[in-house]
Amino acid sequence: MRRAACPGSFDPVTNGHLDIISRAAAIFDEVVVAVGINASKNRLFTADERMQMLREVVAPYDNVSVDCFEGLLTDFCRRRGVLAIVKGLRAVSDFDYELQMAQMNSTLAGIETVFVPTSPEYSFLASSLVKEVAGFGGDVSSLVPASVLTRLQDRLGEERS
Ligand code: PNS
């Protein structure tokens, strides 16, 4: 059983994340989407909300589950018997930091990182940009799943009122 982890903040999950998760699910027997919880970071959605949105959008994939972790990703991988970390690479600008993390995770726990090139239509996509554009009333309906769009609009509406 070859199990991979797709880690991230997923605040919120975008179509770009889903692209990488679905492609990881086609390569590995099992994929755990690992939501990083870092209390010091200011998030739009709580960890439970981020996991709930992810569970809804990965429901069509039989071999994908969602979990969360605090602390080191490598500790989560060890606990969950994860063989490899899957990361999307959007552009060369992602590479330096991702390579550094991959080498650190390999040094810490011997866990491999597999890089998957992001599909070109999502190469500019980031949760932070989606939140910014949606916050100013821009149309992000082609960038996030429909269920996420509804929650995003609701949350931004709550913040405004
Ligand atoms: O979606 P993000 O914010 O790019 O996700 C980053 C995440 C959660 C994957 C990364 O920050 C992480 O792995 N955090 C866990 C802490 C850790 O293991 N740090 C050492 C990395 S070498």
Side-chain angles (χ1 to χ4, degrees), residues 105-145:
N105 288 332
S106 169
T107 301
L108 285 174
I111 292 177
E112 296 290 0
T113 296
V114 174
F115 292 123
V116 175
T118 298
S119 297
E121 65 266 38
Y122 302 128
S123 61
F124 62 93
L125 194 47
S127 298
S128 54
L129 268 185
V130 165
K131 288 182 284 191
E132 183 177 332
V133 171
F136 287 117
D139 180 7
V140 294
S141 58
S142 63
L143 308 178
V144 294

PDB file of all heavy atoms in Angstrom, residues 105-145:
ATOM      1  N   ASN A 105      12.707  17.636   4.813  1.00  0.00           N
ATOM      2  CA  ASN A 105      11.849  16.500   5.179  1.00  0.00           C
ATOM      3  C   ASN A 105      12.538  15.168   4.911  1.00  0.00           C
ATOM      4  O   ASN A 105      12.357  14.202   5.665  1.00  0.00           O
ATOM      5  CB  ASN A 105      10.508  16.595   4.432  1.00  0.00           C
ATOM      6  CG  ASN A 105       9.637  17.714   4.993  1.00  0.00           C
ATOM      7  OD1 ASN A 105       9.741  18.052   6.172  1.00  0.00           O
ATOM      8  ND2 ASN A 105       8.801  18.298   4.156  1.00  0.00           N
ATOM      9  N   SER A 106      13.349  15.128   3.875  1.00  0.00           N
ATOM     10  CA  SER A 106      14.110  13.909   3.581  1.00  0.00           C
ATOM     11  C   SER A 106      15.174  13.684   4.654  1.00  0.00           C
ATOM     12  O   SER A 106      15.384  12.572   5.131  1.00  0.00           O
ATOM     13  CB  SER A 106      14.741  14.055   2.196  1.00  0.00           C
ATOM     14  OG  SER A 106      15.666  13.032   1.987  1.00  0.00           O
ATOM     15  N   THR A 107      15.829  14.766   5.074  1.00  0.00           N
ATOM     16  CA  THR A 107      16.865  14.665   6.112  1.00  0.00           C
ATOM     17  C   THR A 107      16.260  14.253   7.451  1.00  0.00           C
ATOM     18  O   THR A 107      16.798  13.425   8.180  1.00  0.00           O
ATOM     19  CB  THR A 107      17.593  16.022   6.259  1.00  0.00           C
ATOM     20  OG1 THR A 107      18.167  16.351   5.003  1.00  0.00           O
ATOM     21  CG2 THR A 107      18.672  15.979   7.319  1.00  0.00           C
ATOM     22  N   LEU A 108      15.094  14.851   7.772  1.00  0.00           N
ATOM     23  CA  LEU A 108      14.459  14.587   9.074  1.00  0.00           C
ATOM     24  C   LEU A 108      13.948  13.154   9.181  1.00  0.00           C
ATOM     25  O   LEU A 108      14.036  12.528  10.230  1.00  0.00           O
ATOM     26  CB  LEU A 108      13.274  15.535   9.280  1.00  0.00           C
ATOM     27  CG  LEU A 108      13.577  16.993   9.626  1.00  0.00           C
ATOM     28  CD1 LEU A 108      12.279  17.801   9.634  1.00  0.00           C
ATOM     29  CD2 LEU A 108      14.274  17.094  10.977  1.00  0.00           C
ATOM     30  N   ALA A 109      13.343  12.656   8.092  1.00  0.00           N
ATOM     31  CA  ALA A 109      12.611  11.392   8.227  1.00  0.00           C
ATOM     32  C   ALA A 109      12.750  10.469   7.028  1.00  0.00           C
ATOM     33  O   ALA A 109      12.085   9.430   6.973  1.00  0.00           O
ATOM     34  CB  ALA A 109      11.128  11.705   8.448  1.00  0.00           C
ATOM     35  N   GLY A 110      13.595  10.831   6.073  1.00  0.00           N
ATOM     36  CA  GLY A 110      13.758   9.976   4.890  1.00  0.00           C
ATOM     37  C   GLY A 110      12.506   9.919   4.036  1.00  0.00           C
ATOM     38  O   GLY A 110      12.322   8.960   3.288  1.00  0.00           O
ATOM     39  N   ILE A 111      11.657  10.924   4.147  1.00  0.00           N
ATOM     40  CA  ILE A 111      10.416  10.922   3.362  1.00  0.00           C
ATOM     41  C   ILE A 111      10.651  11.652   2.043  1.00  0.00           C
ATOM     42  O   ILE A 111      11.165  12.771   2.026  1.00  0.00           O
ATOM     43  CB  ILE A 111       9.255  11.550   4.161  1.00  0.00           C
ATOM     44  CG1 ILE A 111       8.924  10.617   5.330  1.00  0.00           C
ATOM     45  CG2 ILE A 111       8.024  11.781   3.277  1.00  0.00           C
ATOM     46  CD1 ILE A 111       7.858  11.105   6.259  1.00  0.00           C
ATOM     47  N   GLU A 112      10.297  10.991   0.952  1.00  0.00           N
ATOM     48  CA  GLU A 112      10.498  11.577  -0.379  1.00  0.00           C
ATOM     49  C   GLU A 112       9.407  12.612  -0.673  1.00  0.00           C
ATOM     50  O   GLU A 112       8.280  12.488  -0.185  1.00  0.00           O
ATOM     51  CB  GLU A 112      10.401  10.491  -1.465  1.00  0.00           C
ATOM     52  CG  GLU A 112      11.472   9.433  -1.389  1.00  0.00           C
ATOM     53  CD  GLU A 112      12.861   9.943  -1.772  1.00  0.00           C
ATOM     54  OE1 GLU A 112      13.015  11.131  -2.111  1.00  0.00           O
ATOM     55  OE2 GLU A 112      13.796   9.119  -1.705  1.00  0.00           O
ATOM     56  N   THR A 113       9.765  13.588  -1.503  1.00  0.00           N
ATOM     57  CA  THR A 113       8.756  14.524  -2.018  1.00  0.00           C
ATOM     58  C   THR A 113       8.654  14.320  -3.525  1.00  0.00           C
ATOM     59  O   THR A 113       9.674  14.250  -4.215  1.00  0.00           O
ATOM     60  CB  THR A 113       9.140  15.974  -1.705  1.00  0.00           C
ATOM     61  OG1 THR A 113       9.156  16.144  -0.288  1.00  0.00           O
ATOM     62  CG2 THR A 113       8.144  16.961  -2.309  1.00  0.00           C
ATOM     63  N   VAL A 114       7.432  14.192  -4.000  1.00  0.00           N
ATOM     64  CA  VAL A 114       7.183  14.054  -5.440  1.00  0.00           C
ATOM     65  C   VAL A 114       6.563  15.361  -5.912  1.00  0.00           C
ATOM     66  O   VAL A 114       5.518  15.786  -5.389  1.00  0.00           O
ATOM     67  CB  VAL A 114       6.215  12.876  -5.700  1.00  0.00           C
ATOM     68  CG1 VAL A 114       5.823  12.811  -7.173  1.00  0.00           C
ATOM     69  CG2 VAL A 114       6.844  11.559  -5.250  1.00  0.00           C
ATOM     70  N   PHE A 115       7.201  16.017  -6.872  1.00  0.00           N
ATOM     71  CA  PHE A 115       6.664  17.280  -7.408  1.00  0.00           C
ATOM     72  C   PHE A 115       5.814  16.999  -8.644  1.00  0.00           C
ATOM     73  O   PHE A 115       6.255  16.291  -9.551  1.00  0.00           O
ATOM     74  CB  PHE A 115       7.803  18.234  -7.789  1.00  0.00           C
ATOM     75  CG  PHE A 115       8.575  18.754  -6.610  1.00  0.00           C
ATOM     76  CD1 PHE A 115       9.939  18.566  -6.516  1.00  0.00           C
ATOM     77  CD2 PHE A 115       7.926  19.445  -5.592  1.00  0.00           C
ATOM     78  CE1 PHE A 115      10.655  19.051  -5.428  1.00  0.00           C
ATOM     79  CE2 PHE A 115       8.627  19.935  -4.503  1.00  0.00           C
ATOM     80  CZ  PHE A 115       9.994  19.738  -4.422  1.00  0.00           C
ATOM     81  N   VAL A 116       4.626  17.573  -8.647  1.00  0.00           N
ATOM     82  CA  VAL A 116       3.721  17.437  -9.789  1.00  0.00           C
ATOM     83  C   VAL A 116       3.549  18.831 -10.395  1.00  0.00           C
ATOM     84  O   VAL A 116       3.187  19.766  -9.670  1.00  0.00           O
ATOM     85  CB  VAL A 116       2.350  16.876  -9.326  1.00  0.00           C
ATOM     86  CG1 VAL A 116       1.359  16.848 -10.482  1.00  0.00           C
ATOM     87  CG2 VAL A 116       2.523  15.479  -8.736  1.00  0.00           C
ATOM     88  N   PRO A 117       3.836  18.982 -11.690  1.00  0.00           N
ATOM     89  CA  PRO A 117       3.653  20.320 -12.278  1.00  0.00           C
ATOM     90  C   PRO A 117       2.177  20.686 -12.327  1.00  0.00           C
ATOM     91  O   PRO A 117       1.348  19.908 -12.796  1.00  0.00           O
ATOM     92  CB  PRO A 117       4.236  20.193 -13.690  1.00  0.00           C
ATOM     93  CG  PRO A 117       4.312  18.735 -13.973  1.00  0.00           C
ATOM     94  CD  PRO A 117       4.313  17.992 -12.673  1.00  0.00           C
ATOM     95  N   THR A 118       1.878  21.855 -11.826  1.00  0.00           N
ATOM     96  CA  THR A 118       0.486  22.338 -11.843  1.00  0.00           C
ATOM     97  C   THR A 118       0.008  22.473 -13.287  1.00  0.00           C
ATOM     98  O   THR A 118       0.762  22.899 -14.160  1.00  0.00           O
ATOM     99  CB  THR A 118       0.447  23.719 -11.144  1.00  0.00           C
ATOM    100  OG1 THR A 118       0.872  23.533  -9.801  1.00  0.00           O
ATOM    101  CG2 THR A 118      -0.938  24.332 -11.164  1.00  0.00           C
ATOM    102  N   SER A 119      -1.229  22.119 -13.548  1.00  0.00           N
ATOM    103  CA  SER A 119      -1.784  22.306 -14.891  1.00  0.00           C
ATOM    104  C   SER A 119      -1.730  23.794 -15.239  1.00  0.00           C
ATOM    105  O   SER A 119      -1.991  24.643 -14.376  1.00  0.00           O
ATOM    106  CB  SER A 119      -3.226  21.811 -14.938  1.00  0.00           C
ATOM    107  OG  SER A 119      -3.257  20.428 -14.676  1.00  0.00           O
ATOM    108  N   PRO A 120      -1.389  24.118 -16.507  1.00  0.00           N
ATOM    109  CA  PRO A 120      -1.158  25.522 -16.878  1.00  0.00           C
ATOM    110  C   PRO A 120      -2.310  26.455 -16.504  1.00  0.00           C
ATOM    111  O   PRO A 120      -2.072  27.604 -16.121  1.00  0.00           O
ATOM    112  CB  PRO A 120      -0.984  25.457 -18.406  1.00  0.00           C
ATOM    113  CG  PRO A 120      -0.575  24.068 -18.698  1.00  0.00           C
ATOM    114  CD  PRO A 120      -1.146  23.186 -17.627  1.00  0.00           C
ATOM    115  N   GLU A 121      -3.538  25.957 -16.585  1.00  0.00           N
ATOM    116  CA  GLU A 121      -4.668  26.859 -16.299  1.00  0.00           C
ATOM    117  C   GLU A 121      -4.741  27.279 -14.835  1.00  0.00           C
ATOM    118  O   GLU A 121      -5.487  28.189 -14.480  1.00  0.00           O
ATOM    119  CB  GLU A 121      -6.005  26.252 -16.764  1.00  0.00           C
ATOM    120  CG  GLU A 121      -6.445  24.989 -16.048  1.00  0.00           C
ATOM    121  CD  GLU A 121      -6.029  23.715 -16.769  1.00  0.00           C
ATOM    122  OE1 GLU A 121      -4.922  23.667 -17.322  1.00  0.00           O
ATOM    123  OE2 GLU A 121      -6.822  22.760 -16.745  1.00  0.00           O
ATOM    124  N   TYR A 122      -3.959  26.600 -13.988  1.00  0.00           N
ATOM    125  CA  TYR A 122      -3.966  26.955 -12.557  1.00  0.00           C
ATOM    126  C   TYR A 122      -2.622  27.507 -12.086  1.00  0.00           C
ATOM    127  O   TYR A 122      -2.388  27.637 -10.880  1.00  0.00           O
ATOM    128  CB  TYR A 122      -4.319  25.720 -11.721  1.00  0.00           C
ATOM    129  CG  TYR A 122      -5.646  25.111 -12.084  1.00  0.00           C
ATOM    130  CD1 TYR A 122      -5.752  23.749 -12.379  1.00  0.00           C
ATOM    131  CD2 TYR A 122      -6.800  25.880 -12.140  1.00  0.00           C
ATOM    132  CE1 TYR A 122      -6.962  23.177 -12.722  1.00  0.00           C
ATOM    133  CE2 TYR A 122      -8.025  25.317 -12.493  1.00  0.00           C
ATOM    134  CZ  TYR A 122      -8.092  23.975 -12.781  1.00  0.00           C
ATOM    135  OH  TYR A 122      -9.301  23.416 -13.117  1.00  0.00           O
ATOM    136  N   SER A 123      -1.726  27.818 -13.003  1.00  0.00           N
ATOM    137  CA  SER A 123      -0.357  28.140 -12.585  1.00  0.00           C
ATOM    138  C   SER A 123      -0.261  29.466 -11.818  1.00  0.00           C
ATOM    139  O   SER A 123       0.733  29.729 -11.150  1.00  0.00           O
ATOM    140  CB  SER A 123       0.591  28.149 -13.785  1.00  0.00           C
ATOM    141  OG  SER A 123       0.174  29.131 -14.683  1.00  0.00           O
ATOM    142  N   PHE A 124      -1.281  30.289 -11.910  1.00  0.00           N
ATOM    143  CA  PHE A 124      -1.265  31.587 -11.203  1.00  0.00           C
ATOM    144  C   PHE A 124      -2.069  31.521  -9.899  1.00  0.00           C
ATOM    145  O   PHE A 124      -2.139  32.510  -9.165  1.00  0.00           O
ATOM    146  CB  PHE A 124      -1.909  32.660 -12.100  1.00  0.00           C
ATOM    147  CG  PHE A 124      -3.348  32.348 -12.400  1.00  0.00           C
ATOM    148  CD1 PHE A 124      -4.359  32.864 -11.606  1.00  0.00           C
ATOM    149  CD2 PHE A 124      -3.686  31.490 -13.430  1.00  0.00           C
ATOM    150  CE1 PHE A 124      -5.689  32.548 -11.843  1.00  0.00           C
ATOM    151  CE2 PHE A 124      -5.019  31.167 -13.675  1.00  0.00           C
ATOM    152  CZ  PHE A 124      -6.017  31.690 -12.885  1.00  0.00           C
ATOM    153  N   LEU A 125      -2.664  30.368  -9.632  1.00  0.00           N
ATOM    154  CA  LEU A 125      -3.701  30.292  -8.596  1.00  0.00           C
ATOM    155  C   LEU A 125      -3.127  30.082  -7.191  1.00  0.00           C
ATOM    156  O   LEU A 125      -2.259  29.243  -6.980  1.00  0.00           O
ATOM    157  CB  LEU A 125      -4.639  29.131  -8.968  1.00  0.00           C
ATOM    158  CG  LEU A 125      -5.980  28.985  -8.270  1.00  0.00           C
ATOM    159  CD1 LEU A 125      -6.721  30.302  -8.205  1.00  0.00           C
ATOM    160  CD2 LEU A 125      -6.810  27.938  -8.990  1.00  0.00           C
ATOM    161  N   ALA A 126      -3.615  30.863  -6.236  1.00  0.00           N
ATOM    162  CA  ALA A 126      -3.226  30.711  -4.829  1.00  0.00           C
ATOM    163  C   ALA A 126      -4.430  31.096  -3.975  1.00  0.00           C
ATOM    164  O   ALA A 126      -5.177  32.021  -4.340  1.00  0.00           O
ATOM    165  CB  ALA A 126      -2.046  31.619  -4.510  1.00  0.00           C
ATOM    166  N   SER A 127      -4.602  30.414  -2.849  1.00  0.00           N
ATOM    167  CA  SER A 127      -5.728  30.724  -1.959  1.00  0.00           C
ATOM    168  C   SER A 127      -5.716  32.198  -1.559  1.00  0.00           C
ATOM    169  O   SER A 127      -6.769  32.845  -1.481  1.00  0.00           O
ATOM    170  CB  SER A 127      -5.661  29.869  -0.694  1.00  0.00           C
ATOM    171  OG  SER A 127      -5.767  28.509  -1.014  1.00  0.00           O
ATOM    172  N   SER A 128      -4.514  32.729  -1.316  1.00  0.00           N
ATOM    173  CA  SER A 128      -4.416  34.127  -0.864  1.00  0.00           C
ATOM    174  C   SER A 128      -4.977  35.083  -1.918  1.00  0.00           C
ATOM    175  O   SER A 128      -5.688  36.040  -1.597  1.00  0.00           O
ATOM    176  CB  SER A 128      -2.967  34.477  -0.534  1.00  0.00           C
ATOM    177  OG  SER A 128      -2.146  34.174  -1.636  1.00  0.00           O
ATOM    178  N   LEU A 129      -4.672  34.819  -3.202  1.00  0.00           N
ATOM    179  CA  LEU A 129      -5.181  35.674  -4.283  1.00  0.00           C
ATOM    180  C   LEU A 129      -6.685  35.540  -4.438  1.00  0.00           C
ATOM    181  O   LEU A 129      -7.393  36.524  -4.676  1.00  0.00           O
ATOM    182  CB  LEU A 129      -4.513  35.283  -5.608  1.00  0.00           C
ATOM    183  CG  LEU A 129      -3.254  36.010  -6.014  1.00  0.00           C
ATOM    184  CD1 LEU A 129      -2.817  35.562  -7.401  1.00  0.00           C
ATOM    185  CD2 LEU A 129      -3.491  37.523  -6.010  1.00  0.00           C
ATOM    186  N   VAL A 130      -7.166  34.304  -4.317  1.00  0.00           N
ATOM    187  CA  VAL A 130      -8.608  34.059  -4.418  1.00  0.00           C
ATOM    188  C   VAL A 130      -9.345  34.878  -3.349  1.00  0.00           C
ATOM    189  O   VAL A 130     -10.343  35.543  -3.638  1.00  0.00           O
ATOM    190  CB  VAL A 130      -8.924  32.544  -4.253  1.00  0.00           C
ATOM    191  CG1 VAL A 130     -10.405  32.308  -3.989  1.00  0.00           C
ATOM    192  CG2 VAL A 130      -8.478  31.775  -5.489  1.00  0.00           C
ATOM    193  N   LYS A 131      -8.812  34.875  -2.119  1.00  0.00           N
ATOM    194  CA  LYS A 131      -9.457  35.625  -1.023  1.00  0.00           C
ATOM    195  C   LYS A 131      -9.422  37.116  -1.300  1.00  0.00           C
ATOM    196  O   LYS A 131     -10.394  37.830  -1.057  1.00  0.00           O
ATOM    197  CB  LYS A 131      -8.765  35.306   0.318  1.00  0.00           C
ATOM    198  CG  LYS A 131      -9.081  33.920   0.818  1.00  0.00           C
ATOM    199  CD  LYS A 131      -8.445  33.639   2.166  1.00  0.00           C
ATOM    200  CE  LYS A 131      -6.976  33.366   2.047  1.00  0.00           C
ATOM    201  NZ  LYS A 131      -6.380  32.835   3.296  1.00  0.00           N
ATOM    202  N   GLU A 132      -8.276  37.581  -1.819  1.00  0.00           N
ATOM    203  CA  GLU A 132      -8.149  39.020  -2.094  1.00  0.00           C
ATOM    204  C   GLU A 132      -9.137  39.447  -3.182  1.00  0.00           C
ATOM    205  O   GLU A 132      -9.864  40.439  -3.022  1.00  0.00           O
ATOM    206  CB  GLU A 132      -6.714  39.349  -2.508  1.00  0.00           C
ATOM    207  CG  GLU A 132      -6.521  40.842  -2.722  1.00  0.00           C
ATOM    208  CD  GLU A 132      -5.073  41.205  -3.056  1.00  0.00           C
ATOM    209  OE1 GLU A 132      -4.157  40.492  -2.633  1.00  0.00           O
ATOM    210  OE2 GLU A 132      -4.885  42.215  -3.740  1.00  0.00           O
ATOM    211  N   VAL A 133      -9.160  38.692  -4.289  1.00  0.00           N
ATOM    212  CA  VAL A 133     -10.034  39.047  -5.407  1.00  0.00           C
ATOM    213  C   VAL A 133     -11.506  38.971  -4.979  1.00  0.00           C
ATOM    214  O   VAL A 133     -12.296  39.900  -5.232  1.00  0.00           O
ATOM    215  CB  VAL A 133      -9.757  38.129  -6.632  1.00  0.00           C
ATOM    216  CG1 VAL A 133     -10.790  38.340  -7.719  1.00  0.00           C
ATOM    217  CG2 VAL A 133      -8.353  38.393  -7.169  1.00  0.00           C
ATOM    218  N   ALA A 134     -11.865  37.878  -4.297  1.00  0.00           N
ATOM    219  CA  ALA A 134     -13.258  37.721  -3.842  1.00  0.00           C
ATOM    220  C   ALA A 134     -13.618  38.825  -2.853  1.00  0.00           C
ATOM    221  O   ALA A 134     -14.743  39.334  -2.847  1.00  0.00           O
ATOM    222  CB  ALA A 134     -13.458  36.346  -3.218  1.00  0.00           C
ATOM    223  N   GLY A 135     -12.658  39.208  -2.027  1.00  0.00           N
ATOM    224  CA  GLY A 135     -12.897  40.266  -1.027  1.00  0.00           C
ATOM    225  C   GLY A 135     -13.245  41.602  -1.655  1.00  0.00           C
ATOM    226  O   GLY A 135     -13.975  42.405  -1.074  1.00  0.00           O
ATOM    227  N   PHE A 136     -12.702  41.832  -2.872  1.00  0.00           N
ATOM    228  CA  PHE A 136     -13.010  43.076  -3.592  1.00  0.00           C
ATOM    229  C   PHE A 136     -14.155  42.883  -4.592  1.00  0.00           C
ATOM    230  O   PHE A 136     -14.358  43.710  -5.477  1.00  0.00           O
ATOM    231  CB  PHE A 136     -11.764  43.601  -4.312  1.00  0.00           C
ATOM    232  CG  PHE A 136     -10.736  44.194  -3.387  1.00  0.00           C
ATOM    233  CD1 PHE A 136      -9.465  43.642  -3.270  1.00  0.00           C
ATOM    234  CD2 PHE A 136     -11.046  45.320  -2.613  1.00  0.00           C
ATOM    235  CE1 PHE A 136      -8.518  44.200  -2.411  1.00  0.00           C
ATOM    236  CE2 PHE A 136     -10.104  45.879  -1.758  1.00  0.00           C
ATOM    237  CZ  PHE A 136      -8.845  45.320  -1.652  1.00  0.00           C
ATOM    238  N   GLY A 137     -14.857  41.753  -4.461  1.00  0.00           N
ATOM    239  CA  GLY A 137     -16.041  41.529  -5.296  1.00  0.00           C
ATOM    240  C   GLY A 137     -15.743  40.925  -6.662  1.00  0.00           C
ATOM    241  O   GLY A 137     -16.628  40.855  -7.523  1.00  0.00           O
ATOM    242  N   GLY A 138     -14.492  40.474  -6.886  1.00  0.00           N
ATOM    243  CA  GLY A 138     -14.141  39.859  -8.174  1.00  0.00           C
ATOM    244  C   GLY A 138     -14.738  38.465  -8.310  1.00  0.00           C
ATOM    245  O   GLY A 138     -15.071  37.823  -7.305  1.00  0.00           O
ATOM    246  N   ASP A 139     -14.828  38.019  -9.549  1.00  0.00           N
ATOM    247  CA  ASP A 139     -15.443  36.721  -9.838  1.00  0.00           C
ATOM    248  C   ASP A 139     -14.389  35.609  -9.744  1.00  0.00           C
ATOM    249  O   ASP A 139     -13.476  35.539 -10.574  1.00  0.00           O
ATOM    250  CB  ASP A 139     -16.047  36.765 -11.253  1.00  0.00           C
ATOM    251  CG  ASP A 139     -16.712  35.454 -11.629  1.00  0.00           C
ATOM    252  OD1 ASP A 139     -16.822  34.550 -10.762  1.00  0.00           O
ATOM    253  OD2 ASP A 139     -17.123  35.325 -12.799  1.00  0.00           O
ATOM    254  N   VAL A 140     -14.525  34.749  -8.752  1.00  0.00           N
ATOM    255  CA  VAL A 140     -13.578  33.634  -8.596  1.00  0.00           C
ATOM    256  C   VAL A 140     -14.267  32.291  -8.844  1.00  0.00           C
ATOM    257  O   VAL A 140     -13.753  31.246  -8.469  1.00  0.00           O
ATOM    258  CB  VAL A 140     -12.895  33.654  -7.195  1.00  0.00           C
ATOM    259  CG1 VAL A 140     -12.004  34.876  -7.041  1.00  0.00           C
ATOM    260  CG2 VAL A 140     -13.918  33.587  -6.062  1.00  0.00           C
ATOM    261  N   SER A 141     -15.423  32.337  -9.510  1.00  0.00           N
ATOM    262  CA  SER A 141     -16.225  31.113  -9.665  1.00  0.00           C
ATOM    263  C   SER A 141     -15.518  30.041 -10.493  1.00  0.00           C
ATOM    264  O   SER A 141     -15.844  28.863 -10.360  1.00  0.00           O
ATOM    265  CB  SER A 141     -17.590  31.437 -10.267  1.00  0.00           C
ATOM    266  OG  SER A 141     -17.422  32.080 -11.514  1.00  0.00           O
ATOM    267  N   SER A 142     -14.552  30.436 -11.337  1.00  0.00           N
ATOM    268  CA  SER A 142     -13.852  29.411 -12.122  1.00  0.00           C
ATOM    269  C   SER A 142     -12.607  28.897 -11.387  1.00  0.00           C
ATOM    270  O   SER A 142     -11.906  28.023 -11.887  1.00  0.00           O
ATOM    271  CB  SER A 142     -13.432  29.989 -13.475  1.00  0.00           C
ATOM    272  OG  SER A 142     -12.512  31.055 -13.257  1.00  0.00           O
ATOM    273  N   LEU A 143     -12.356  29.428 -10.207  1.00  0.00           N
ATOM    274  CA  LEU A 143     -11.101  29.117  -9.510  1.00  0.00           C
ATOM    275  C   LEU A 143     -11.263  28.213  -8.290  1.00  0.00           C
ATOM    276  O   LEU A 143     -10.283  27.636  -7.815  1.00  0.00           O
ATOM    277  CB  LEU A 143     -10.413  30.424  -9.076  1.00  0.00           C
ATOM    278  CG  LEU A 143     -10.219  31.481 -10.173  1.00  0.00           C
ATOM    279  CD1 LEU A 143      -9.570  32.728  -9.608  1.00  0.00           C
ATOM    280  CD2 LEU A 143      -9.392  30.906 -11.315  1.00  0.00           C
ATOM    281  N   VAL A 144     -12.488  28.128  -7.785  1.00  0.00           N
ATOM    282  CA  VAL A 144     -12.747  27.274  -6.615  1.00  0.00           C
ATOM    283  C   VAL A 144     -13.989  26.424  -6.883  1.00  0.00           C
ATOM    284  O   VAL A 144     -14.855  26.825  -7.669  1.00  0.00           O
ATOM    285  CB  VAL A 144     -12.968  28.107  -5.313  1.00  0.00           C
ATOM    286  CG1 VAL A 144     -11.713  28.836  -4.893  1.00  0.00           C
ATOM    287  CG2 VAL A 144     -14.129  29.086  -5.470  1.00  0.00           C
ATOM    288  N   PRO A 145     -14.101  25.262  -6.217  1.00  0.00           N
ATOM    289  CA  PRO A 145     -15.318  24.466  -6.372  1.00  0.00           C
ATOM    290  C   PRO A 145     -16.543  25.269  -5.917  1.00  0.00           C
ATOM    291  O   PRO A 145     -16.432  26.164  -5.059  1.00  0.00           O
ATOM    292  CB  PRO A 145     -15.070  23.268  -5.447  1.00  0.00           C
ATOM    293  CG  PRO A 145     -13.587  23.200  -5.269  1.00  0.00           C
ATOM    294  CD  PRO A 145     -13.107  24.614  -5.335  1.00  0.00           C
TER     295      PRO A 145
END
